């Protein structure tokens, strides 16, 4: 294997900024509310991020290196890894979880066991398609460091690694996300504000013909509805062969842009959606929550294209599923199904906004062979929204 | 069982009207395009209806009888039956099919076998929740009339009957849809324009706080994309506890209406979606198509509430699955997956428009205990759409 | 509809018999252990029946009338209804549940909602294929009697009705199981010993070329394994076109019988399996339990033929899921997954024995057109088992 | 990463031996029929192996190195890789396929796409649990060698890699199956007789307390039933915590052995099942075939334990699904469902025999920390079978 010199950027989570408006309109922490775009009727959490669910941490490793003509296996490099840790020591304190493919042209490893057991016991890693094996290997390394009896006296972990295709900008054949990168992203994981856009696994992604990548949003229910938080993080690489379908807050933004921003013949289509909540949901209820993300994605214009890996995983931190329990049974708190609708609404809204936030935070990028993807211009977007009565 | 005198209205399919604009804006054939509302980018078929798929027939039986205070088991009656026949002699010439629940708080009988076999061999009947057994029984009668060896030398049919709850307007305990009504709806089934709104199974339904019921729409692909037709028929009873979520063509119509039209405390939530196409799809591809209807429903504002039976069935008339074949194998034409995206887009668009058409065609209705549901006022709707740049 | 005079036999559950060996070898309470056939290694419960799970009740209605040539719609009649009530007032105190089709050429209504909600809130009814609608209607009647606000202020029930095809012996076109029969079977439901064989929904059934029908068995775990009970009830109509596959306790009984007992050209193939347990299982765990019944069925020789409706439903009485709860959340007791294996083993063993018990309890029967099905001869069976080292 | 010196044994497929009896009773080609054990009633194919399905190839890489105390990351090593190639150039000539988990405590990557698309376009690799990532990476390398435009102008492959836990004998933390090993196993793949037992991915596996590993068997239908071949390959590591459940041809062999062969406290439980056929089956039909393997496994005594990854994939070589097709549609040959039962029977029988063949071919092995697993003694097995009338 050729040697590799990676520019490793550990984007440490920046400290929360003190703002008049709580959410910025630009930069990696850009949020739709910062631009006056309010999706739905529920309020976002403190960071408008998946980390608003207590204990959830996110870390990124970003690789941006080289320019010009593609040398397969060498570069240019536009890729990365994003890690989501449901809670500290998720191996011993598992979270109920469920995974669901809206359209399964993609990979999210480990989900056979998630859906059989009803729980998640490992972190969730996002990366590019051809690096899945290496990142999977890194998760194993990281787990063995923490739990040295894995595979000896302890059970074995089945990593959850999900991919999108960044090959329009990135030398994907180089598989530039290594096992060590997976470890680094996990080590970098932190709570608080989550940097978004063209970093981590989102580095080389595009969405609806604009630069995409990582986006996140959250909703907090009223105390009447339980006060639960729902946080969503996406790696938005979907709908990217065409701009026309893009809808923001009901406005046909993609059609309005038309050809005024050049659209490259992108090859990529997928979106990974991670939902976290502290609502006390059972696995089958989390399956229902996972399905609701499709409704949020639909409101951004997707038809869930054949080439798209639209893969969803949802987990709840409310209950602790023990590893090797002392007792045969444990008590779980369960949200009665007749109270679940606000959680569904929060999921739909947070998913819709997370995609928009990815578009707002991402910056224009040029990659291999001069391929270029433009960021969504904020000012022009606001003009269009205004024209349509927002 | 108490005697029952039903006002049986067989709404025969009216002959196609010659119009300057092909689609009317009012009445049971009302269509969004007739009001200048064009959902998506694909063109509707001749009737903008599920019957644009060659061979598909629709029939209604409507029961409207009595007023005033509910006498359980007697009335007032606001209910009916709608039948969709995929093609003549579907028993011997089965269609590939798949069923999928977006949210399974409802019943669509017969779908275990549809999903195991990959085909549909019976008609699809829609009715109210408590009448499912009787309508099921009627389908058996109708099948035995046509195929007298059923249960003797021939196989047995497993009827497909789907329900929504019309109990806000209707004396549901009366189960006023009989086995004979199911037969009558099947006998009434015809091609051509499909009357919509508050008739057939849609008689007592409500949607997003307005009067709902049966709606249908279709899309025809360009010859470049295969020239296939996708037709959708819905029984829209969803989202009906609240008006706010309603979105039409991206515009927050429900919020704009606010309280200007009174909203009754409706009890009902479900939607049945039937997709027909002549695109040559295999069962697993039809499962994917069925899932895309969720994306169309999402664009009307749904969060797929817990109380909602959002049940979908999709079938393709392109191939004939034989009953008792002479030969071990048969040839099927298969749409390559890389060409399926236009079918997905057509499904999303036709589903979205079918819900809107249900709202446009339905008339205000008062039922049991003076419960009343208002129709969506067309003029006010157009004002709102205009305000939002349409 | 033609008038119908039904011979209604309410087989009231007989009082438990005092026996030296706890289980009889003959008659409707016949059990494999009564013949010295011990399936697996776990102990059966007091009645070796699904009713060993506290609170579970079973009731039968049997129709046997007429002989000779089939007059479609009239007779001869060999059919019935069996009702399983998970617990008193299951509407208000729902049980966690899951349904699964091993092979879905059959109908079990109501399971879309069971699998969406994770609970069961209605009784389970078994009957013949063409009577499903009428029995469904009867369940609605029975529910409305108990809960008069159904469909008015209360929710609506979605009955669970499962069918097998008894058309080889029975005039199935007559649909001789009425709504009233469903009510009667529910009224007859009781705990204690469960009569088996050719009665209730099992009246006209055949299994592996012998007379089949209702069978039940149970297993009780050691206190070390939690002391839980698993009970299974089947309506065995499977594998019935051929005798050869039948295996009992690993012995190829079907092959050994060869042609010594005449085999009629049977038309029927299905099996319904109901699993009850007091182990505290969540819905997704009950789905796993439901799947284990396939392993028990396999040990009786099945290949789950295409024409077979091999449909399974499993429920747990350990937790109470409230109807209209006062509080947003409730506490559920959950069996940790690492302790579930004994429940799996109990399910496999009880399913295997339930099929055998159906064969042991059933009596030879002649039905329409002189069609005749022989009971499994006990003495010859024991000879064969002895020859194979049992 | 520490350097690694692997004893790489490429077990080239031996030439077919000319035998009086076509199948040997001992050695890596050992087959049940060679010992006079005939499972079921259908005839095996020429090699009684998955390679009897024309075009299917199998290759192994085996690592056996070191003895004594476990040095995590170093050894002793008892592991390997097995590759199954559905047909040459499966990327461009995809096979219809379906994957199904009987019990999903395990990993088979790539199956989200298999089940979404209905086809398989990559080879199937088997290995140990912690090596999944590395073997996945190797499949990517192998694919890029053959299709240099992958990730550039061509699509990206999603490898299918399935694992079992060999940690009782093997230093699993060392992840001794490298990307290069995956390539080597693929390069070694050949048709003809398939070496079985403790080699390839089966090297460190155990089954029902005996030494397990790779096993394969096939069945050929009569020309009356279409003359199709069904081949099954398993990596048998299941039921291995206890010997008692083992059943061979209906005989309780495990119980009969009792404690006469010492049973180690094994930690491993899983089984991977690969089904190949030339019967012209659609994806949904292959899903049904995959489920039938559960019935074959059940006949060997399994309860599909919680800790078990019982993962199945089935494919059919009869139709060619094109990669980038010139035409929108293609013709598929479809086996009518009413003719599928012989395929189901063949699947059940071949699965049952494949597990037995794994046990017959495997040799006793000692691994890390002196852990030892005994082979099933053939002579004693025959005694037991004889005692039970075989």
């Amino acid at each position: 294997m050729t040697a590799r010199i990676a520019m490793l950027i550990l984007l440490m989570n920046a400290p929360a900024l003190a703002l008049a408006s709580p959410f910025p309109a630009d930069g990696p922490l850009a949020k739709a509310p910062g631009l006056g775009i309010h999706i739905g009727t529920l309020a976002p959490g403190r960071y408008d991020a998946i980390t608003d669910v207590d204990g959830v941490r996110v870390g990124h490793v970003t690789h941006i290196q080289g320019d010009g003509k593609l040398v397969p296996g060498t570069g240019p490099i536009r890729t990365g890894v994003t890690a989501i840790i449901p809670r500290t020591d998720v191996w011993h304190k598992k979270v109920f979880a469920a995974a669901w493919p809206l359209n399964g042209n993609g990979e999210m490893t480990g989900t056979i066991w998630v859906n059989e057991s009803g729980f998640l016991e490992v972190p969730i890693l996002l990366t590019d398609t051809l690096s899945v094996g290496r990142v999977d290997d890194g998760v194993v390394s990281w787990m063995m460091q923490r739990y040295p009896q894995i595979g000896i006296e302890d059970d074995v972990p089945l990593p959850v690694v999900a991919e999108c295709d960044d090959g329009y900008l990135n030398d994907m054949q180089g598989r530039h996300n290594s096992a060590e990168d997976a470890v680094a992203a996990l080590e970098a994981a932190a709570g608080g504000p989550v940097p978004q856009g063209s970093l981590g696994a989102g580095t080389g992604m595009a969405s609806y013909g604009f630069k995409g990548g990582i986006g996140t949003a959250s909703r907090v229910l009223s105390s009447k509805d339980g006060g639960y938080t729902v946080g969503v993080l996406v790696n938005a690489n979907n709908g990217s062969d065409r701009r026309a379908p893009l809808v923001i807050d009901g406005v046909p933004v993609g059609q309005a842009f038309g050809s005024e921003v050049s659209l490259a013949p992108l090859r990529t289509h997928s979106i990974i959606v991670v939902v976290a909540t502290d609502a006390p949901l059972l696995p089958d209820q989390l399956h229902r929550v996972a399905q609701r993300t499709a409704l949020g994605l639909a409101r951004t214009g997707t038809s869930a294209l054949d080439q798209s890996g639209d893969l969803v995983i949802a987990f709840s931190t409310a209950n602790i599923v023990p590893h090797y329990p002392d007792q045969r049974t444990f008590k779980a708190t369960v949200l009665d199904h007749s109270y679940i609708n606000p959680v569904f609404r929060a999921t739909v809204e947070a998913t819709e906004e997370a995609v928009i936030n990815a578009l707002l935070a991402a910056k224009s990028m040029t990659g291999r062979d001069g391929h270029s993807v433009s960021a969504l211009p904020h000012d022009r977007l606001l003009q269009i929204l205004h024209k349509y009565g927002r």
Side-chain angles (χ1 to χ4, degrees), chain A residues 115-177:
Chain A
N115 284 336
E116 180 77 38
S117 68
F119 57 68
L120 175 69
E121 57 187 354
V122 290
I124 300 163
L125 278 285
L126 314 181
T127 192
D128 87 85
T129 310
L130 298 185
S131 296
V132 166
R134 296 180 182 189
V135 169
D136 180 292
D137 197 45
V139 175
V140 171
S141 297
W142 185 79
M143 294 292 290
M144 293 194 313
Q145 287 168 13
R146 267 148 202 74
Y147 311 102
Q149 286 299 312
I150 276 178
I152 302 172
E153 297 299 324
D154 199 356
D155 277 338
V156 282
L158 300 168
V160 173
V161 183
E163 55 72 39
C164 298
D165 179 327
D166 55 16
Y168 183 71
L169 294 174
N170 179 47
D171 165 37
M172 199 157 41
Q173 289 203 354
R175 290 170 279 176
H176 298 286
N177 299 296

Side-chain angles (χ1 to χ4, degrees), chain A residues 176-261:
Chain A
H176 298 286
N177 299 296
S178 67
E180 292 76 12
D181 293 334
V183 173
L186 286 160
E187 296 294 339
V194 177
Q196 307 166 116
S198 303
L199 46 70
T203 303
M205 304 300 168
S207 180
Y208 295 108
F210 293 109
K211 190 69 189 70
I214 301 294
T216 186
S218 71
R219 290 294 181 271
V220 180
L221 302 185
S222 69
S223 59
K224 181 183 72 65
D225 285 334
Y228 305 120
T229 298
V230 176
V232 172
L233 183 143
V234 302
N235 193 11
N237 199 36
N238 60 319
S240 52
D241 64 330
R242 306 194 318 155
R243 179 160 297 144
L246 177 62
V247 172
I248 291 182
D249 197 19
V251 173
V253 168
Q255 289 175 31
F257 265 101
S259 57
E260 70 182 70
V261 178

Side-chain angles (χ1 to χ4, degrees), chain A residues 29 37 59 113 145 203 207 209 213 234 250 253 259 273 279 283 339 356 369 374 388:
Chain A
L29 301 180
I37 305 170
W113 178 223
Q145 287 168 13
T203 303
S207 180
V234 302
V253 168
S259 57
V273 185
Y339 288 90
I356 298 170
D369 295 322
S374 301
Y388 281 88

Side-chain angles (χ1 to χ4, degrees), chain A residues 36-38 248-253 381-390:
Chain A
I37 305 170
H38 298 284
I248 291 182
D249 197 19
V251 173
V253 168
L381 169 65
L382 292 175
Q383 284 178 347
I384 293 169
L385 294 177
H386 184 72
K387 179 185 155 199
Y388 281 88
R390 266 71 175 190

Side-chain angles (χ1 to χ4, degrees), chain A residues 315-328:
Chain A
F315 62 84
S316 163
T317 60
N319 289 291
I320 292 174
V321 182
H323 187 53
Y324 286 127
D326 294 334
Q327 294 190 293
R328 181 176 292 113

Side-chain angles (χ1 to χ4, degrees), chain A residues 101-115:
Chain A
L102 167 59
N103 192 63
N105 198 337
E107 178 62 289
M108 184 184 279
T109 66
T111 52
I112 296 174
W113 178 223
V114 168
N115 284 336

Side-chain angles (χ1 to χ4, degrees), chain A residues 57-72:
Chain A
R57 292 178 291 151
V58 178
H60 299 299
V61 165
T62 305
H63 296 296
I64 298 173
Q65 186 185 22
D67 282 297
K69 190 166 161 42
L70 174 70
V71 182

